[in-house]
Structure formats: C-alpha cells, structure tokens
Amino acid sequence: MKAVAVFPEEHALRLVEHREPTILAPGDVVVRVLDVGFCGIDREIASFRTGSSPADSSYLILGHEALGEVVEVGSAVRRIRPGELVVPTVRRPCRHETCRACRMGRPDFCLSGEYTQRGIKGAHGFLAERFSDDARWLQPVPRELRDVGVLTQPLALAETAIAELEQVQKRLPWAALGETGGSGKRAVVLGAGPVALLGAMALIVRGYKVAIYSRGGRGEKAEFAESLGAQFVRAEEEKLDSLVHRTGRIDVMLEATGATPEALAAMEHLGRNGVYLMTGIPGRRGAFTLDAGHLLHGMVQRNQVIIGPAHPSAEAYRAAIQDLALFSRRWPGALARLISSRMTIDEAPAVFRKPAAGLKQVVSVAD
Ligand SMILES: [Zn+2]
Ligand SMILES: [Zn+2]
C-alpha cells in the first residue's frame, strides 16, 4: 500500500510502498485511512529537524492527525466494529516496568520519556492507505463528523489545556459555591491558527468571553472569529495593555502560537488568579530570551498558574469529539471552513515541502 515517508538519514521525503497492516494480536484493529491533517510538527519532520524512525525501519511514515474507518477487528475487540469511524491517539507507552503511567495505559504522563509517538517519534504515522493499532488507542467518532473528524487531534490539544484549567480553577474560594466554567470570565487566545480557533470555540461553549489576539490575520480569520462571537484583535493595531484597559481583567490566556517570545511575554497582562495555558513548546524554532525575573515576579504576586500539558489523554480526545459535534450544531459550516485545502496522497510529498497555506491542510487518502 501507499504511504508518505520521511528518510531522516537520506534527507528525503517520498511515497513508499509499505507492507499491508494486519491483525497481529486479538486486540488489534485495521483502519482504512480517510483524512490526515498536517501541522507545524509535520513540517519540522519533513525538513529533518525532528522526528525519528522506528528501530527496524530506515523511514518514518508521517501523519499524526487522522480519521479512518475500521475494516477489520481482532477476536477480542468489543468496543469498536467494522464500518465505524475512529480517530487514533498519538502517544504509545514505553516498555519500562517501573513506569507507572504507561503501565496504567496513560502514556500522556510517561515517567521514563521513552514513549513513542505515531508519525513523530519511533513509530509509523497514519499517512498511509491503512494502519493497524490496538483498539484501546482508537476513539470512535459519530458518522455526522465524517468531514471534520480530522480536527479531533488539534482540538484535543486545547481540550487538555482546558481540562487542566478547570482543575486549577477549583482552588478558587468561590468554586465551592458552584461558580465553575467560564461564565463571566474573559479569555484571550494568542494566535489564530487551527489550535487557536478550535480552542476559542471550546472556551466560548464553556461561557467565556473570548478575544483572539494575533499578528496579521485581517480578513478571513477575523471574519471567522467574529462569526463565532469572539473579538479579533490585531497585535499591530492594539497593545495588550490597552485591550485589558478596554475590556477588563483577563482570567485565562490560551497560547496557540507555537510559544513565540511575544506570546510568552503576554503573560505580563494576565489578571489576578489567572491561568496561562500553553499548547506550544518554547524554543522549538530556536532559543530566545525573556525577562523571567520580571514575568515570574508578577506571576507569584498575582497568584497565577502556568500550565503546559504536553500531550492529550484519551479523555481529551473524547472531549474533542463531543465538542466537534457541539460546534457543528452551534456554528453550522464553521468547522469545515477551518480546512483550507485538500489534496491526494500522491500530491502530499510536494505540499509538505512548501510553507503552510491557510488554516488546516488535509490529505484526503480515501472517500
Ligand atoms: Zn499536529
Ligand atoms: Zn512510560
């Protein structure tokens, strides 16, 4: 079958003919791939800056944001049936007996750091005609989400951050009075890419008043934000302190810029008891300097929390699938607009080498 693979040693990226996946254990499932989205991490792997092949392979099949249809299940699989749509999670457990997290099926909290990530680190991804996996790493998706289910993984990043935010907000004295969720609270989303816009939707449905603060993005992104009921503020036109002055205290900041220095410096404008949520990993694109003394002084004085959940749990994928259904009802047609272009698997290698265009680019592997 066809797959798109990167050869880290050779510095090459091309279509390969990969062996057909099969059921090897009673818990396995074979999935026919429908859609695969790609993001900044894929581009970094495609330019050989990160990513590693499985130990027994000279190449790594790309793709970690996938939607597929189950074609075959092992004898022990009960939860998932052929014909169902599924989204695979990305991280798989390490082999250490002493890693409590992985032994409990929670590689999102892996203690050894030797987990693998499909399509990223030590395990093949999903940008192929089919893949196989243990059923426990697959989340069922309702048929009505066929066209937008590929957005589950990027939304799961924001869902993880929001779930941790809700944990932290329980510390506030008024949480015991039943005042939870976002009602009456203000959130600023930093960035206007797919994770930012999906995160903004997830905050809005929880009752937050949301402003999306981003460089550029005039036109389509601003119009999209406004159609959600969010404010769109261009960083070139208004400084954050003026935004705070105009709208009031910011309770939550959701960073979805890939952790740029500007986005991290923005935490200076977070309000008292506020929470700063990171979805990016600082320094991925090179080192930078921030006045940590100044920023952390403010964080401590204002009783703030920074959360940087690295990886979504299965729970976060389930929350994302539920939210996609909710977003589809609340904003008909909006999710489909986040998918800026679709291409075939044959066209994918060339597109990976080009700079990103629009919002989410998706490879339509099959109908
Ligand atoms: Zn991604
Ligand atoms: Zn582990």
Side-chain angles (χ1 to χ4, degrees), residues 8-314:
E9 300 272 292
E10 268 182 65
H11 275 205
L13 170 70
R14 59 177 178 264
L15 277 180
V16 293
E17 189 55 36
H18 190 74
R19 66 175 185 282
E20 278 289 337
T22 50
I23 305 276
L24 296 173
D28 282 355
V29 173
V30 176
V31 178
R32 186 171 77 96
V33 178
L34 300 174
D35 288 342
V36 178
F38 59 97
C39 71
I41 298 169
D42 296 301
R43 286 181 195 285
E44 285 182 24
I45 299 170
S47 56
F48 321 107
R49 281 180 284 161
T50 183
S52 58
S53 314
D56 58 354
S57 173
S58 61
Y59 57 83
L60 170 73
I61 298 177
L62 279 166
H64 59 274
E65 304 177 5
L67 172 74
E69 186 182 74
V70 173
V71 286
E72 195 186 346
V73 300
S75 58
V77 177
R78 297 279 173 273
R79 197 170 61 94
I80 291 170
R81 281 193 296 268
E84 268 190 288
L85 297 182
V86 287
V87 165
T89 64
V90 177
R91 196 178 278 193
R92 300 291 174 272
C94 72
R95 295 174 182 280
H96 290 270
E97 272 315 308
T98 52
C99 178
R100 255 184 109 182
C102 288
R103 300 293 70 78
M104 291 170 83
R106 292 295 303 271
D108 49 316
F109 280 105
C110 176
L111 291 156
S112 72
E114 290 174 29
Y115 54 80
T116 57
Q117 300 203 120
R118 295 203 59 166
I120 300 173
K121 178 177 181 267
H124 286 309
F126 311 117
L127 188 39
E129 290 176 286
R130 281 165 290 280
F131 69 88
S132 65
D133 215 334
D134 189 298
R136 67 186 165 140
W137 308 120
L138 303 173
Q139 294 301 330
V141 173
R143 190 48 73 168
E144 72 205 54
L145 297 178
R146 162 65 186 89
D147 294 336
V148 295
V150 69
L151 299 170
T152 302
Q153 198 274 345
L155 174 57
L157 298 175
E159 296 284 356
T160 308
I162 293 169
E164 297 209 359
L165 163 69
E166 286 169 353
Q167 290 285 326
V168 170
Q169 282 173 337
K170 289 195 182 133
R171 74 199 170 123
L172 297 171
W174 41 88
L177 306 175
E179 291 176 34
T180 50
S183 183
K185 297 197 188 81
R186 226 170 248 109
V188 169
V189 174
L190 302 163
V195 176
L197 297 176
L198 289 163
M201 294 166 108
L203 288 164
I204 292 168
V205 297
R206 285 165 178 79
Y208 286 88
K209 280 203 174 70
V210 174
I212 295 171
Y213 189 77
S214 174
R215 278 206 263 170
R218 201 198 292 273
E220 202 196 3
K221 284 177 179 175
E223 196 236 306
F224 184 85
E226 277 146 25
S227 75
L228 302 177
Q231 249 191 92
F232 190 92
V233 183
R234 295 180 70 233
E236 294 88 338
E237 283 167 10
E238 184 167 14
K239 293 241 182 303
L240 263 176
D241 50 1
S242 136
L243 176 70
V244 175
H245 189 74
R246 187 159 60 82
T247 62
R249 189 185 69 237
I250 300 171
D251 302 292
V252 176
M253 279 186 177
L254 174 69
E255 176 283 315
T257 62
T260 58
E262 295 81 5
L264 294 169
M267 68 175 73
E268 182 183 355
H269 303 289
L270 183 62
R272 289 188 184 278
N273 309 323
V275 181
Y276 187 92
L277 303 169
M278 297 180 68
T279 66
I281 302 174
R284 276 190 92 99
R285 297 183 197 125
F288 57 81
T289 310
L290 278 177
D291 186 347
H294 172 71
L295 286 176
L296 294 177
H297 178 89
M299 301 271 337
V300 174
Q301 288 286 347
R302 292 190 298 271
N303 199 26
Q304 294 164 336
V305 177
I306 307 177
I307 308 176
H311 197 78
S313 63

